[in-house]
Amino acid sequence: MSDAERRLWAAFPTGTRVVLGDEPPAGPDPSRIIRAEVISQLLLGAHEPRVGYVPAVRLSGAYIIGTLDLSGGMVEYELLLTNCRLSEAPDFSNAQTRQLRLSDCRMPGFDGGGLRADGYLSLSGSVIEGPVHLPRAQLLGGFRMNGTRITVDDPARWALFAGSLMVEVGLFGRECEINGGARLVGARMNGGLYLEDAVLRNPGRLALDGQNMVVEDIAEFSRATTIGTVRLRSARINGTLSFSLSRLDAGAPERMALHASHMQADELLLMPAEKIRGRVALSYSRIALIMDLPEYWPDELWLNGLSYETLRGADFKDRLSWISRDKEFYLQPYEQLASWYHGIGHDDLARKVQLAKMRARRRRLHPIGRGWNLLLDWTVGYGYRPWLAFMWFGVLVAAGTVVFSANPPKSIKPGEEQPDFHALVYTLDLLIPIDTFGQQQAYDPQGWSRWVAYALIAAGWILATALIAGVTRVLRPN
């Protein structure tokens, strides 16, 4: 046993910290070498505790050789490693431990699959050049990885692999850097997820896979940078999901920057520091409050099936652009937005949304259907603007009155049956599809005014048909 190991052995019963250096050793300095098996033996009860003290392994500045293997073990004592260098990845898989703190260390990986820690697990400030495995781990005191940097070179491996992780207090990864993607599928964070100022980098792949993840209180990505896809499909955020001042970059415009379909959240704050690069999918999600800013929206948004209670951050024109950014046409985003405006008392805006829906639908019809829909739009605004029909009717009445005043029609009835001619009444008789005033049957237009009469008759039928079709919504899709 070396001098450093004897010091650690002697300090264990009282939990005294052994300091071999203030920085992780660059190499295997003989004066700072500790065998991993010595630490394992102490944690597994090879040394008798001292009455009146709390035994623990507290070690700083050591070069630890071999594998710190506590897999499947019952660890009754705290482990604190700071500024240490581990030659091999420690193995805590399926172990039951108290508090584990490996801060500001360097190591080639970490295996904690199935780990159960009654205290917290801390990897804060550490540089980990290999994968961190925590699938099915239960961390009752929280998981801290503030300032941690994890890097994997193999694109087929995850930098952080933690499916079904359960963190009781919260996961804190402020200013961490994860190169290779983080997998948190089915994870549960009962105290929140905090990734402020973090960098998650996995270009062309998943930067974060949080599918079916459950987060209580808040999922905080403020000022974070994600290079790759953030997938939160079917996640449940019982609080706020915040991307305030963050940077979302899929790495390619045709890829997803944020895939959050089928998600449930109380609030979504989508206010990044710059325009989102890549697609965003919120399809079939249920979000109580959405707060976003139009200048940062991506070029393509998937909103079909999205339901919400409150919208903030954009005016009416921007919301129309918002629901039209899907390359495919769906009725539901328009219906949902119209319903929201109706619910807050803006029936006029709700009608404008419905009108925009019909116009968007028209662009996808065949030429004949497109022509008929265009006529409905011009004449009655698909029934949402019936005053247009009266406007057109007034214009035609004025035009007909002027024409037939200048060029009166010829009488075609005997004098005793002939009503007095009035240009205004005659024009009304031509426009209204039924014979109302008897003028049309008593007079016959002459010359070029005959074509004006024919045009007025046709226009009257078209206006009447369009008004009936629009107001009764005959042509509205179900």
Side-chain angles (χ1 to χ4, degrees):
M1 187 177 288
S2 66
D3 289 340
E5 292 172 348
R6 279 194 288 269
R7 288 178 58 189
L8 180 63
W9 195 272
F12 170 77
T14 60
T16 304
R17 178 180 237 175
V18 175
V19 178
L20 301 179
D22 296 327
E23 296 292 336
D29 182 347
S31 65
R32 298 169 71 175
I33 290 177
I34 299 286
R35 288 175 295 156
E37 62 182 281
V38 175
I39 300 174
S40 299
Q41 289 172 2
L42 288 171
L43 293 174
L44 293 174
H47 197 322
E48 288 292 327
R50 183 177 296 180
V51 177
Y53 293 89
V54 179
V57 173
R58 298 187 173 98
L59 180 61
S60 180
Y63 190 97
I64 300 172
I65 60 173
T67 301
L68 182 56
D69 188 357
L70 293 165
S71 58
M74 179 75 72
V75 179
E76 298 290 341
Y77 310 109
E78 177 187 347
L79 171 64
L80 170 61
L81 301 178
T82 57
N83 294 310
C84 292
R85 189 180 188 102
L86 288 78
S87 64
E88 298 181 28
D91 187 355
F92 291 89
S93 58
N94 300 307
Q96 297 186 47
T97 71
R98 294 186 182 276
Q99 187 163 286
L100 295 176
R101 183 176 174 186
L102 291 80
S103 302
D104 302 305
C105 296
R106 295 185 70 96
M107 63 191 86
F110 183 92
D111 189 356
L115 168 68
R116 179 184 172 90
D118 292 336
Y120 65 81
L121 167 64
S122 176
L123 300 175
S124 293
S126 293
V127 177
I128 305 174
E129 297 168 330
V132 173
H133 285 271
L134 287 168
R136 308 176 314 283
Q138 299 180 52
L139 309 178
L140 304 185
F143 182 24
R144 304 177 187 178
M145 45 187 295
N146 298 317
T148 302
R149 190 174 73 204
I150 307 172
T151 304
V152 293
D153 297 325
D154 185 354
R157 306 182 73 184
W158 292 90
L160 175 60
F161 186 83
S164 300
L165 170 69
M166 195 280 285
V167 183
E168 190 62 40
V169 174
L171 191 158
F172 300 87
R174 299 183 174 103
E175 298 183 348
C176 72
E177 181 178 337
I178 301 177
N179 299 295
R183 187 179 188 273
L184 297 173
V185 173
R188 185 179 184 95
M189 286 81 173
N190 290 332
L193 172 64
Y194 302 88
L195 292 173
E196 300 103 309
D197 301 290
V199 177
L200 285 73
R201 187 181 291 109
N202 200 13
R205 301 170 69 87
L206 290 169
L208 171 66
D209 190 357
Q211 192 167 209
N212 296 305
M213 181 173 66
V214 178
V215 179
E216 301 289 343
D217 190 23
I218 189 169
E220 185 67 82
F221 292 87
S222 295
R223 301 176 302 280
T225 298
T226 60
I227 311 297
T229 299
V230 176
R231 183 163 69 182
L232 299 175
R233 189 179 190 276
S234 300
R236 190 165 77 247
I237 314 297
N238 296 321
T240 302
L241 172 60
S242 174
F243 289 95
S244 298
L245 301 177
S246 61
R247 180 185 172 212
L248 294 166
D249 187 349
E254 68 277 2
R255 291 188 58 84
M256 285 285 183
L258 175 61
H259 187 184
S261 65
H262 301 83
M263 180 184 73
Q264 296 181 43
D266 293 340
E267 293 183 71
L268 171 60
L269 307 182
L270 194 57
M271 299 184 293
E274 59 184 45
K275 182 176 179 178
I276 298 172
R277 300 178 183 177
R279 301 171 178 172
V280 171
L282 297 175
S283 307
Y284 303 102
S285 291
R286 289 186 291 171
I287 304 171
L289 167 65
I290 298 177
M291 183 176 291
D292 52 4
L293 297 174
E295 56 266 36
Y296 303 129
W297 290 340
D299 294 330
E300 190 170 351
L301 272 164
W302 295 1
L303 301 176
N304 185 37
L306 170 67
S307 61
Y308 43 82
E309 298 176 11
T310 306
L311 295 174
R312 294 284 186 273
D315 60 20
F316 175 72
K317 283 188 175 180
D318 291 323
R319 287 299 171 197
L320 285 183
S321 171
W322 183 61
I323 58 176
S324 66
R325 295 194 176 210
D326 197 330
K327 299 303 181 185
E328 299 292 329
F329 171 73
Y330 297 101
L331 295 173
Q332 190 275 340
Y334 291 89
E335 296 287 354
Q336 171 66 37
L337 185 60
S339 176
W340 182 71
Y341 276 119
H342 176 73
I344 62 173
H346 290 288
D347 291 345
D348 55 331
L349 298 182
R351 287 192 293 271
K352 290 180 179 180
V353 174
Q354 296 284 13
L355 184 57
K357 175 191 69 176
M358 301 305 293
R359 288 171 174 170
R361 177 178 176 268
R362 182 179 70 214
R363 291 191 286 269
R364 290 161 174 81
L365 298 176
H366 54 78
I368 296 177
R370 194 158 54 244
W372 172 241
N373 273 258
L374 188 61
L375 181 62
L376 284 177
D377 191 2
W378 286 352
T379 53
V380 292
Y382 291 99
Y384 296 108
R385 304 168 74 185
W387 56 266
L388 279 176
F390 297 101
M391 182 196 73
W392 283 112
F393 189 82
V395 169
L396 293 172
V397 167
T401 302
V402 170
V403 168
F404 295 116
S405 294
N407 189 14
K410 181 181 69 173
S411 174
I412 58 175
K413 282 190 175 184
E416 66 275 5
E417 300 179 11
Q418 185 73 16
D420 293 336
F421 174 76
H422 295 281
L424 173 61
V425 177
Y426 182 69
T427 303
L428 289 173
D429 228 357
L430 293 174
L431 281 170
I432 298 174
I434 59 175
D435 185 15
T436 306
F437 303 105
Q439 295 270 316
Q440 183 179 352
Q441 301 297 325
Y443 294 93
D444 187 23
Q446 302 297 307
W448 61 270
S449 64
R450 182 184 299 274
W451 296 104
V452 176
Y454 293 159
L456 289 174
I457 293 171
W461 278 103
I462 290 173
L463 280 176
T465 304
L467 186 61
I468 294 170
V471 172
T472 59
R473 311 293 194 266
V474 170
L475 300 182
R476 287 183 67 198
N478 292 325

mmCIF file with all atom_site columns, all heavy atoms in Angstrom, residues 208-228:
data_model
loop_
_atom_site.group_PDB
_atom_site.id
_atom_site.type_symbol
_atom_site.label_atom_id
_atom_site.label_alt_id
_atom_site.label_comp_id
_atom_site.label_asym_id
_atom_site.label_entity_id
_atom_site.label_seq_id
_atom_site.pdbx_PDB_ins_code
_atom_site.Cartn_x
_atom_site.Cartn_y
_atom_site.Cartn_z
_atom_site.occupancy
_atom_site.B_iso_or_equiv
_atom_site.pdbx_formal_charge
_atom_site.auth_seq_id
_atom_site.auth_comp_id
_atom_site.auth_asym_id
_atom_site.auth_atom_id
_atom_site.pdbx_PDB_model_num
ATOM 1   N N   . LEU A 1 208 ? -31.292 16.088 -28.242 1.00 0.00 ? 208 LEU A N   1
ATOM 2   C CA  . LEU A 1 208 ? -31.961 15.650 -27.014 1.00 0.00 ? 208 LEU A CA  1
ATOM 3   C C   . LEU A 1 208 ? -33.163 14.820 -27.400 1.00 0.00 ? 208 LEU A C   1
ATOM 4   O O   . LEU A 1 208 ? -34.016 15.271 -28.166 1.00 0.00 ? 208 LEU A O   1
ATOM 5   C CB  . LEU A 1 208 ? -32.407 16.852 -26.167 1.00 0.00 ? 208 LEU A CB  1
ATOM 6   C CG  . LEU A 1 208 ? -33.295 16.525 -24.963 1.00 0.00 ? 208 LEU A CG  1
ATOM 7   C CD1 . LEU A 1 208 ? -32.513 15.725 -23.930 1.00 0.00 ? 208 LEU A CD1 1
ATOM 8   C CD2 . LEU A 1 208 ? -33.859 17.788 -24.332 1.00 0.00 ? 208 LEU A CD2 1
ATOM 9   N N   . ASP A 1 209 ? -33.233 13.620 -26.877 1.00 0.00 ? 209 ASP A N   1
ATOM 10  C CA  . ASP A 1 209 ? -34.402 12.769 -27.089 1.00 0.00 ? 209 ASP A CA  1
ATOM 11  C C   . ASP A 1 209 ? -35.120 12.635 -25.757 1.00 0.00 ? 209 ASP A C   1
ATOM 12  O O   . ASP A 1 209 ? -34.727 11.855 -24.893 1.00 0.00 ? 209 ASP A O   1
ATOM 13  C CB  . ASP A 1 209 ? -33.986 11.389 -27.620 1.00 0.00 ? 209 ASP A CB  1
ATOM 14  C CG  . ASP A 1 209 ? -35.190 10.564 -28.069 1.00 0.00 ? 209 ASP A CG  1
ATOM 15  O OD1 . ASP A 1 209 ? -36.324 11.046 -27.919 1.00 0.00 ? 209 ASP A OD1 1
ATOM 16  O OD2 . ASP A 1 209 ? -34.983 9.447  -28.580 1.00 0.00 ? 209 ASP A OD2 1
ATOM 17  N N   . GLY A 1 210 ? -36.188 13.443 -25.600 1.00 0.00 ? 210 GLY A N   1
ATOM 18  C CA  . GLY A 1 210 ? -36.971 13.417 -24.373 1.00 0.00 ? 210 GLY A CA  1
ATOM 19  C C   . GLY A 1 210 ? -38.363 12.873 -24.602 1.00 0.00 ? 210 GLY A C   1
ATOM 20  O O   . GLY A 1 210 ? -39.319 13.308 -23.936 1.00 0.00 ? 210 GLY A O   1
ATOM 21  N N   . GLN A 1 211 ? -38.492 11.933 -25.517 1.00 0.00 ? 211 GLN A N   1
ATOM 22  C CA  . GLN A 1 211 ? -39.799 11.353 -25.823 1.00 0.00 ? 211 GLN A CA  1
ATOM 23  C C   . GLN A 1 211 ? -40.396 10.707 -24.570 1.00 0.00 ? 211 GLN A C   1
ATOM 24  O O   . GLN A 1 211 ? -39.707 9.987  -23.839 1.00 0.00 ? 211 GLN A O   1
ATOM 25  C CB  . GLN A 1 211 ? -39.637 10.323 -26.935 1.00 0.00 ? 211 GLN A CB  1
ATOM 26  C CG  . GLN A 1 211 ? -40.933 9.862  -27.532 1.00 0.00 ? 211 GLN A CG  1
ATOM 27  C CD  . GLN A 1 211 ? -40.736 9.088  -28.822 1.00 0.00 ? 211 GLN A CD  1
ATOM 28  O OE1 . GLN A 1 211 ? -41.594 9.082  -29.689 1.00 0.00 ? 211 GLN A OE1 1
ATOM 29  N NE2 . GLN A 1 211 ? -39.614 8.422  -28.949 1.00 0.00 ? 211 GLN A NE2 1
ATOM 30  N N   . ASN A 1 212 ? -41.684 10.986 -24.315 1.00 0.00 ? 212 ASN A N   1
ATOM 31  C CA  . ASN A 1 212 ? -42.416 10.442 -23.158 1.00 0.00 ? 212 ASN A CA  1
ATOM 32  C C   . ASN A 1 212 ? -41.826 10.874 -21.818 1.00 0.00 ? 212 ASN A C   1
ATOM 33  O O   . ASN A 1 212 ? -42.131 10.272 -20.782 1.00 0.00 ? 212 ASN A O   1
ATOM 34  C CB  . ASN A 1 212 ? -42.475 8.910  -23.217 1.00 0.00 ? 212 ASN A CB  1
ATOM 35  C CG  . ASN A 1 212 ? -43.252 8.422  -24.418 1.00 0.00 ? 212 ASN A CG  1
ATOM 36  O OD1 . ASN A 1 212 ? -44.396 8.786  -24.624 1.00 0.00 ? 212 ASN A OD1 1
ATOM 37  N ND2 . ASN A 1 212 ? -42.611 7.606  -25.246 1.00 0.00 ? 212 ASN A ND2 1
ATOM 38  N N   . MET A 1 213 ? -41.033 11.903 -21.819 1.00 0.00 ? 213 MET A N   1
ATOM 39  C CA  . MET A 1 213 ? -40.447 12.409 -20.579 1.00 0.00 ? 213 MET A CA  1
ATOM 40  C C   . MET A 1 213 ? -41.505 13.144 -19.762 1.00 0.00 ? 213 MET A C   1
ATOM 41  O O   . MET A 1 213 ? -42.392 13.790 -20.313 1.00 0.00 ? 213 MET A O   1
ATOM 42  C CB  . MET A 1 213 ? -39.282 13.338 -20.925 1.00 0.00 ? 213 MET A CB  1
ATOM 43  C CG  . MET A 1 213 ? -38.556 13.939 -19.750 1.00 0.00 ? 213 MET A CG  1
ATOM 44  S SD  . MET A 1 213 ? -37.072 14.846 -20.276 1.00 0.00 ? 213 MET A SD  1
ATOM 45  C CE  . MET A 1 213 ? -37.827 16.195 -21.194 1.00 0.00 ? 213 MET A CE  1
ATOM 46  N N   . VAL A 1 214 ? -41.399 13.074 -18.445 1.00 0.00 ? 214 VAL A N   1
ATOM 47  C CA  . VAL A 1 214 ? -42.317 13.782 -17.543 1.00 0.00 ? 214 VAL A CA  1
ATOM 48  C C   . VAL A 1 214 ? -41.487 14.718 -16.678 1.00 0.00 ? 214 VAL A C   1
ATOM 49  O O   . VAL A 1 214 ? -40.536 14.289 -16.021 1.00 0.00 ? 214 VAL A O   1
ATOM 50  C CB  . VAL A 1 214 ? -43.113 12.808 -16.654 1.00 0.00 ? 214 VAL A CB  1
ATOM 51  C CG1 . VAL A 1 214 ? -44.011 13.583 -15.694 1.00 0.00 ? 214 VAL A CG1 1
ATOM 52  C CG2 . VAL A 1 214 ? -43.932 11.850 -17.508 1.00 0.00 ? 214 VAL A CG2 1
ATOM 53  N N   . VAL A 1 215 ? -41.846 15.999 -16.705 1.00 0.00 ? 215 VAL A N   1
ATOM 54  C CA  . VAL A 1 215 ? -41.127 17.001 -15.917 1.00 0.00 ? 215 VAL A CA  1
ATOM 55  C C   . VAL A 1 215 ? -42.134 17.776 -15.082 1.00 0.00 ? 215 VAL A C   1
ATOM 56  O O   . VAL A 1 215 ? -43.120 18.295 -15.608 1.00 0.00 ? 215 VAL A O   1
ATOM 57  C CB  . VAL A 1 215 ? -40.345 17.974 -16.824 1.00 0.00 ? 215 VAL A CB  1
ATOM 58  C CG1 . VAL A 1 215 ? -39.620 19.020 -15.979 1.00 0.00 ? 215 VAL A CG1 1
ATOM 59  C CG2 . VAL A 1 215 ? -39.339 17.218 -17.685 1.00 0.00 ? 215 VAL A CG2 1
ATOM 60  N N   . GLU A 1 216 ? -41.894 17.829 -13.797 1.00 0.00 ? 216 GLU A N   1
ATOM 61  C CA  . GLU A 1 216 ? -42.716 18.636 -12.910 1.00 0.00 ? 216 GLU A CA  1
ATOM 62  C C   . GLU A 1 216 ? -42.078 20.007 -12.731 1.00 0.00 ? 216 GLU A C   1
ATOM 63  O O   . GLU A 1 216 ? -40.865 20.140 -12.691 1.00 0.00 ? 216 GLU A O   1
ATOM 64  C CB  . GLU A 1 216 ? -42.853 17.954 -11.540 1.00 0.00 ? 216 GLU A CB  1
ATOM 65  C CG  . GLU A 1 216 ? -43.461 16.563 -11.575 1.00 0.00 ? 216 GLU A CG  1
ATOM 66  C CD  . GLU A 1 216 ? -44.944 16.564 -11.909 1.00 0.00 ? 216 GLU A CD  1
ATOM 67  O OE1 . GLU A 1 216 ? -45.575 17.643 -11.788 1.00 0.00 ? 216 GLU A OE1 1
ATOM 68  O OE2 . GLU A 1 216 ? -45.467 15.504 -12.286 1.00 0.00 ? 216 GLU A OE2 1
ATOM 69  N N   . ASP A 1 217 ? -42.907 21.019 -12.651 1.00 0.00 ? 217 ASP A N   1
ATOM 70  C CA  . ASP A 1 217 ? -42.512 22.388 -12.374 1.00 0.00 ? 217 ASP A CA  1
ATOM 71  C C   . ASP A 1 217 ? -42.009 23.117 -13.621 1.00 0.00 ? 217 ASP A C   1
ATOM 72  O O   . ASP A 1 217 ? -42.701 23.967 -14.156 1.00 0.00 ? 217 ASP A O   1
ATOM 73  C CB  . ASP A 1 217 ? -41.462 22.445 -11.264 1.00 0.00 ? 217 ASP A CB  1
ATOM 74  C CG  . ASP A 1 217 ? -41.214 23.873 -10.806 1.00 0.00 ? 217 ASP A CG  1
ATOM 75  O OD1 . ASP A 1 217 ? -42.106 24.720 -10.994 1.00 0.00 ? 217 ASP A OD1 1
ATOM 76  O OD2 . ASP A 1 217 ? -40.139 24.156 -10.257 1.00 0.00 ? 217 ASP A OD2 1
ATOM 77  N N   . ILE A 1 218 ? -40.812 22.794 -14.135 1.00 0.00 ? 218 ILE A N   1
ATOM 78  C CA  . ILE A 1 218 ? -40.282 23.555 -15.264 1.00 0.00 ? 218 ILE A CA  1
ATOM 79  C C   . ILE A 1 218 ? -39.245 22.746 -16.026 1.00 0.00 ? 218 ILE A C   1
ATOM 80  O O   . ILE A 1 218 ? -38.476 21.977 -15.437 1.00 0.00 ? 218 ILE A O   1
ATOM 81  C CB  . ILE A 1 218 ? -39.662 24.889 -14.780 1.00 0.00 ? 218 ILE A CB  1
ATOM 82  C CG1 . ILE A 1 218 ? -39.300 25.792 -15.968 1.00 0.00 ? 218 ILE A CG1 1
ATOM 83  C CG2 . ILE A 1 218 ? -38.449 24.638 -13.893 1.00 0.00 ? 218 ILE A CG2 1
ATOM 84  C CD1 . ILE A 1 218 ? -38.936 27.208 -15.576 1.00 0.00 ? 218 ILE A CD1 1
ATOM 85  N N   . ALA A 1 219 ? -39.268 22.892 -17.347 1.00 0.00 ? 219 ALA A N   1
ATOM 86  C CA  . ALA A 1 219 ? -38.195 22.380 -18.204 1.00 0.00 ? 219 ALA A CA  1
ATOM 87  C C   . ALA A 1 219 ? -37.523 23.608 -18.797 1.00 0.00 ? 219 ALA A C   1
ATOM 88  O O   . ALA A 1 219 ? -38.062 24.259 -19.684 1.00 0.00 ? 219 ALA A O   1
ATOM 89  C CB  . ALA A 1 219 ? -38.748 21.468 -19.295 1.00 0.00 ? 219 ALA A CB  1
ATOM 90  N N   . GLU A 1 220 ? -36.369 23.950 -18.296 1.00 0.00 ? 220 GLU A N   1
ATOM 91  C CA  . GLU A 1 220 ? -35.729 25.230 -18.570 1.00 0.00 ? 220 GLU A CA  1
ATOM 92  C C   . GLU A 1 220 ? -34.568 25.078 -19.556 1.00 0.00 ? 220 GLU A C   1
ATOM 93  O O   . GLU A 1 220 ? -33.573 24.436 -19.266 1.00 0.00 ? 220 GLU A O   1
ATOM 94  C CB  . GLU A 1 220 ? -35.206 25.818 -17.252 1.00 0.00 ? 220 GLU A CB  1
ATOM 95  C CG  . GLU A 1 220 ? -34.612 27.203 -17.375 1.00 0.00 ? 220 GLU A CG  1
ATOM 96  C CD  . GLU A 1 220 ? -35.656 28.237 -17.732 1.00 0.00 ? 220 GLU A CD  1
ATOM 97  O OE1 . GLU A 1 220 ? -36.367 28.704 -16.820 1.00 0.00 ? 220 GLU A OE1 1
ATOM 98  O OE2 . GLU A 1 220 ? -35.738 28.576 -18.931 1.00 0.00 ? 220 GLU A OE2 1
ATOM 99  N N   . PHE A 1 221 ? -34.757 25.671 -20.754 1.00 0.00 ? 221 PHE A N   1
ATOM 100 C CA  . PHE A 1 221 ? -33.705 25.679 -21.772 1.00 0.00 ? 221 PHE A CA  1
ATOM 101 C C   . PHE A 1 221 ? -33.278 27.122 -22.092 1.00 0.00 ? 221 PHE A C   1
ATOM 102 O O   . PHE A 1 221 ? -32.767 27.379 -23.175 1.00 0.00 ? 221 PHE A O   1
ATOM 103 C CB  . PHE A 1 221 ? -34.212 25.018 -23.057 1.00 0.00 ? 221 PHE A CB  1
ATOM 104 C CG  . PHE A 1 221 ? -34.466 23.541 -22.937 1.00 0.00 ? 221 PHE A CG  1
ATOM 105 C CD1 . PHE A 1 221 ? -35.687 23.064 -22.502 1.00 0.00 ? 221 PHE A CD1 1
ATOM 106 C CD2 . PHE A 1 221 ? -33.477 22.622 -23.246 1.00 0.00 ? 221 PHE A CD2 1
ATOM 107 C CE1 . PHE A 1 221 ? -35.939 21.708 -22.393 1.00 0.00 ? 221 PHE A CE1 1
ATOM 108 C CE2 . PHE A 1 221 ? -33.710 21.251 -23.139 1.00 0.00 ? 221 PHE A CE2 1
ATOM 109 C CZ  . PHE A 1 221 ? -34.944 20.793 -22.713 1.00 0.00 ? 221 PHE A CZ  1
ATOM 110 N N   . SER A 1 222 ? -33.473 28.026 -21.172 1.00 0.00 ? 222 SER A N   1
ATOM 111 C CA  . SER A 1 222 ? -33.137 29.423 -21.428 1.00 0.00 ? 222 SER A CA  1
ATOM 112 C C   . SER A 1 222 ? -31.653 29.572 -21.757 1.00 0.00 ? 222 SER A C   1
ATOM 113 O O   . SER A 1 222 ? -30.780 29.016 -21.079 1.00 0.00 ? 222 SER A O   1
ATOM 114 C CB  . SER A 1 222 ? -33.472 30.280 -20.204 1.00 0.00 ? 222 SER A CB  1
ATOM 115 O OG  . SER A 1 222 ? -34.860 30.285 -19.973 1.00 0.00 ? 222 SER A OG  1
ATOM 116 N N   . ARG A 1 223 ? -31.399 30.310 -22.837 1.00 0.00 ? 223 ARG A N   1
ATOM 117 C CA  . ARG A 1 223 ? -30.047 30.616 -23.321 1.00 0.00 ? 223 ARG A CA  1
ATOM 118 C C   . ARG A 1 223 ? -29.272 29.362 -23.723 1.00 0.00 ? 223 ARG A C   1
ATOM 119 O O   . ARG A 1 223 ? -28.059 29.421 -23.916 1.00 0.00 ? 223 ARG A O   1
ATOM 120 C CB  . ARG A 1 223 ? -29.255 31.417 -22.273 1.00 0.00 ? 223 ARG A CB  1
ATOM 121 C CG  . ARG A 1 223 ? -29.909 32.741 -21.900 1.00 0.00 ? 223 ARG A CG  1
ATOM 122 C CD  . ARG A 1 223 ? -29.137 33.449 -20.799 1.00 0.00 ? 223 ARG A CD  1
ATOM 123 N NE  . ARG A 1 223 ? -29.022 32.625 -19.608 1.00 0.00 ? 223 ARG A NE  1
ATOM 124 C CZ  . ARG A 1 223 ? -29.972 32.462 -18.695 1.00 0.00 ? 223 ARG A CZ  1
ATOM 125 N NH1 . ARG A 1 223 ? -31.141 33.077 -18.836 1.00 0.00 ? 223 ARG A NH1 1
ATOM 126 N NH2 . ARG A 1 223 ? -29.776 31.694 -17.647 1.00 0.00 ? 223 ARG A NH2 1
ATOM 127 N N   . ALA A 1 224 ? -29.943 28.236 -23.847 1.00 0.00 ? 224 ALA A N   1
ATOM 128 C CA  . ALA A 1 224 ? -29.281 27.004 -24.275 1.00 0.00 ? 224 ALA A CA  1
ATOM 129 C C   . ALA A 1 224 ? -29.079 27.013 -25.786 1.00 0.00 ? 224 ALA A C   1
ATOM 130 O O   . ALA A 1 224 ? -29.787 27.698 -26.529 1.00 0.00 ? 224 ALA A O   1
ATOM 131 C CB  . ALA A 1 224 ? -30.094 25.787 -23.859 1.00 0.00 ? 224 ALA A CB  1
ATOM 132 N N   . THR A 1 225 ? -28.111 26.237 -26.244 1.00 0.00 ? 225 THR A N   1
ATOM 133 C CA  . THR A 1 225 ? -27.849 26.059 -27.670 1.00 0.00 ? 225 THR A CA  1
ATOM 134 C C   . THR A 1 225 ? -27.982 24.585 -28.001 1.00 0.00 ? 225 THR A C   1
ATOM 135 O O   . THR A 1 225 ? -27.316 23.744 -27.377 1.00 0.00 ? 225 THR A O   1
ATOM 136 C CB  . THR A 1 225 ? -26.433 26.534 -28.041 1.00 0.00 ? 225 THR A CB  1
ATOM 137 O OG1 . THR A 1 225 ? -26.315 27.939 -27.762 1.00 0.00 ? 225 THR A OG1 1
ATOM 138 C CG2 . THR A 1 225 ? -26.152 26.303 -29.517 1.00 0.00 ? 225 THR A CG2 1
ATOM 139 N N   . THR A 1 226 ? -28.860 24.267 -28.947 1.00 0.00 ? 226 THR A N   1
ATOM 140 C CA  . THR A 1 226 ? -29.037 22.884 -29.369 1.00 0.00 ? 226 THR A CA  1
ATOM 141 C C   . THR A 1 226 ? -28.724 22.788 -30.860 1.00 0.00 ? 226 THR A C   1
ATOM 142 O O   . THR A 1 226 ? -29.349 23.457 -31.671 1.00 0.00 ? 226 THR A O   1
ATOM 143 C CB  . THR A 1 226 ? -30.465 22.383 -29.093 1.00 0.00 ? 226 THR A CB  1
ATOM 144 O OG1 . THR A 1 226 ? -31.407 23.194 -29.804 1.00 0.00 ? 226 THR A OG1 1
ATOM 145 C CG2 . THR A 1 226 ? -30.773 22.454 -27.600 1.00 0.00 ? 226 THR A CG2 1
ATOM 146 N N   . ILE A 1 227 ? -27.763 21.976 -31.201 1.00 0.00 ? 227 ILE A N   1
ATOM 147 C CA  . ILE A 1 227 ? -27.389 21.717 -32.591 1.00 0.00 ? 227 ILE A CA  1
ATOM 148 C C   . ILE A 1 227 ? -27.819 20.290 -32.896 1.00 0.00 ? 227 ILE A C   1
ATOM 149 O O   . ILE A 1 227 ? -27.173 19.328 -32.481 1.00 0.00 ? 227 ILE A O   1
ATOM 150 C CB  . ILE A 1 227 ? -25.878 21.890 -32.828 1.00 0.00 ? 227 ILE A CB  1
ATOM 151 C CG1 . ILE A 1 227 ? -25.388 23.221 -32.246 1.00 0.00 ? 227 ILE A CG1 1
ATOM 152 C CG2 . ILE A 1 227 ? -25.576 21.795 -34.312 1.00 0.00 ? 227 ILE A CG2 1
ATOM 153 C CD1 . ILE A 1 227 ? -25.990 24.436 -32.883 1.00 0.00 ? 227 ILE A CD1 1
ATOM 154 N N   . GLY A 1 228 ? -28.929 20.152 -33.587 1.00 0.00 ? 228 GLY A N   1
ATOM 155 C CA  . GLY A 1 228 ? -29.555 18.861 -33.798 1.00 0.00 ? 228 GLY A CA  1
ATOM 156 C C   . GLY A 1 228 ? -31.018 18.976 -33.363 1.00 0.00 ? 228 GLY A C   1
ATOM 157 O O   . GLY A 1 228 ? -31.491 20.043 -32.992 1.00 0.00 ? 228 GLY A O   1
#
